Amino acid sequence: MQYGEFDANSLMYITNRPELVFVRGSGSWLYDEQGKAYLDFVQGWAVNCLGHCPPEISEALATQGAQLINPSPAFYNGPAIELAGLLTRHSVFDRVFFANTGAEANEGAIKLARKWGRLNRDGAYEIITFEHAFHGRTLATMSASGKPGWDTLFAPQVPGFPKAKLNDLDSVKALIGPKTVAVMLEPVQGEGGVIPAEPDFLQALRELTREHGLLLIVDEVQTGMGRTGRLFAHEHAGIEPDIMTLGKGIGGGVPLSALLAREAVCCFEPGDQGGTYNGNPLMSAVGAAVMRRLTSPGFLDQVEETGRYLAAALNELVTRHGLVGERGQGLLRALILDDERGPALVKGALEHSPKGLLLNSPRPNLLRFMPSLTVSIAEIDEMIGVLDTLLHATRKA
């Protein structure tokens, strides 16, 4: 595909992309080079928590970009200190390490747990993770993930990640041994199909890890930063993990992630962890702007209310079309179909006219919804209307 004088084939092939180029975004809407509007219920896979080009982020980028962009992480900078302070103020954690991607934050969590195990558990290094989990695309985080087929994709895997079953405490108990140092999980498995960990399971898991002297790591790359109606999804269960990772929404659209830990777990020494751009003031200023918006009075209450509305609207589709069901938390939700037409619905939504609709189908029998946390009721209604039409059009005769 050509874009002006340039050929899109200069980009390395990693996925099938439609023949369009997005050139502008505002709130819940994207616009392509032909001027067509698309209602975005993917938002970069839950990245754009405040929608496209929100004023807080635009202003933070412009202001900080004119002052200081990258002094190197060998020095302190103001925005990084501010953002770290906001994160520790609003969580149970004491220290923050900034990175650029969720996978990098999860790599840091794995390294920190293994270092802690070497110092405190006679070299224990195994981290129990879960079937259908998704922790990133580096070799270690792919090995930690439970996505089918990933165990052979770039074999051999990084060892040390036995897999339990989500919401099955006995399956976790069966894997605990002298080499175990931690348990790591997503409070809601996003790529796995928006499968929540049950509150009583999370509570029992926290007790189990404490009983055995193990760390509990929560991967909140997708579920954190208000996505579920709480600032962090584990708060729904009232637990206090030892380590947490954040990504996606923390930057609101710019590359930013974080590794948070309680003081007793922080055992990195100089040289153990680092990164060229980690905590640079340009990205950190955006993260601070995002945090201030999310923690402003009433914001998360509105997310919970909007999430309930979206759940009810999706359940109406379930009843109307005889679908399997709906599940999720806050504004991370899934519609479970009665067949495997998910990809066809995504394609039909994209091509819908005069306005397109962006949907995601992580599994053929399921649609995932990750709108902006500022999505309006009217925009939810518009999405439901288009999806209702598409469900009728793709119904089997």
Side-chain angles (χ1 to χ4, degrees):
M1 185 188 76
Q2 289 293 127
Y3 182 69
E5 64 178 294
F6 298 102
D7 191 331
N9 285 327
S10 297
L11 292 169
M12 185 176 291
Y13 174 75
I14 57 166
T15 190
N16 294 317
R17 294 184 173 105
E19 296 259 323
L20 61 87
V21 178
F22 286 122
V23 296
R24 183 168 64 88
S26 177
S28 291
W29 294 89
L30 277 171
Y31 301 84
D32 68 18
E33 77 279 14
Q34 303 299 322
K36 181 180 176 180
Y38 300 79
L39 181 55
D40 189 357
F41 268 68
V42 179
Q43 291 288 348
W45 294 288
V47 168
N48 309 318
C49 63
L50 300 179
H52 293 284
C53 301
E56 297 94 336
I57 291 180
S58 297
E59 291 167 10
L61 285 170
T63 301
Q64 189 61 46
Q67 294 177 349
L68 180 65
I69 294 177
N70 186 32
S72 111
F75 303 98
Y76 288 120
N77 71 77
I81 295 173
E82 178 185 358
L83 179 54
L86 287 169
L87 288 167
T88 55
R89 180 183 300 173
H90 291 281
S91 74
V92 300
F93 303 98
D94 303 301
R95 302 272 187 166
V96 184
F97 170 79
F98 291 118
N100 309 290
T101 65
E104 191 180 352
N106 283 333
E107 284 268 351
I110 292 166
K111 289 169 65 177
L112 184 62
R114 287 188 171 189
K115 177 71 178 285
W116 185 87
R118 181 166 66 81
L119 296 174
N120 297 280
R121 285 186 60 84
D122 195 30
Y125 66 93
E126 288 187 346
I127 299 174
I128 297 171
T129 57
F130 291 83
E131 296 175 358
H132 306 296
F134 182 90
H135 296 297
R137 295 182 181 275
T138 64
L139 286 177
T141 55
M142 286 182 71
S143 300
S145 299
K147 191 168 182 176
W150 275 23
D151 55 337
T152 58
L153 186 58
F154 298 108
Q157 284 196 308
V158 176
F161 300 101
K163 303 295 187 296
K165 296 179 181 179
L166 191 68
N167 295 318
D168 183 345
L169 195 67
D170 287 337
S171 73
V172 180
K173 291 179 180 178
L175 295 174
I176 295 175
K179 296 180 181 179
T180 308
V181 68
V183 179
M184 180 177 185
L185 82 164
E186 304 156 275
V188 181
Q189 290 186 336
E191 285 290 313
V194 191
I195 305 170
E198 296 168 0
D200 58 350
F201 171 74
L202 287 173
Q203 292 161 8
L205 187 62
R206 175 69 281 192
E207 289 305 310
L208 179 68
T209 52
R210 283 188 175 135
E211 176 186 338
H212 288 271
L214 307 177
L215 302 179
L216 179 61
I217 306 169
V218 288
D219 173 350
E220 296 241 20
V221 169
Q222 185 165 141
T223 59
M225 304 308 292
R227 175 57 51 184
T228 67
R230 301 283 179 90
L231 194 57
F232 311 117
H234 68 266
E235 294 176 341
H236 290 282
I239 63 169
E240 295 187 353
D242 301 294
I243 297 172
M244 177 175 70
T245 57
L246 297 171
K248 296 186 182 291
I250 189 175
V254 305
L256 179 65
S257 65
L259 162 63
L260 293 84
R262 309 199 57 172
E263 185 67 36
V265 183
C266 294
C267 55
F268 280 147
E269 298 172 284
D272 285 350
Q273 186 68 323
T276 304
Y277 302 106
N278 297 17
N280 82 69
L282 189 63
M283 302 300 101
S284 298
V286 172
V290 169
M291 270 294 290
R292 292 196 181 280
R293 178 70 186 280
L294 297 187
T295 57
S296 63
F299 185 91
L300 292 177
D301 293 336
Q302 183 63 47
V303 173
E304 283 198 305
E305 182 178 336
T306 310
R308 286 192 293 269
Y309 186 89
L310 176 58
L314 291 172
N315 272 309
E316 288 180 10
L317 291 180
V318 170
T319 301
R320 192 177 308 146
H321 295 276
L323 306 178
V324 175
E326 180 276 343
R327 65 183 175 222
Q329 279 187 322
L331 287 173
L332 176 59
R333 313 211 71 88
L335 181 66
I336 309 162
L337 307 170
D338 56 339
D339 55 22
E340 296 193 344
R341 55 181 152 158
L345 289 167
V346 170
K347 184 174 184 292
L350 181 74
E351 296 172 352
H352 188 266
S353 185
K355 298 175 183 177
L357 170 64
L358 302 186
L359 298 175
N360 172 247
S361 178
R363 299 198 169 198
N365 69 331
L366 180 142
L367 295 176
R368 177 172 48 166
F369 304 86
M370 303 162 283
S372 162
L373 303 185
T374 59
V375 67
S376 70
I377 298 300
E379 288 165 341
I380 292 175
D381 288 342
E382 187 167 353
M383 182 277 292
I384 292 292
V386 174
L387 185 52
D388 184 38
T389 299
L390 293 169
L391 286 168
H392 277 297
T394 57
R395 179 183 293 166
K396 291 182 179 178

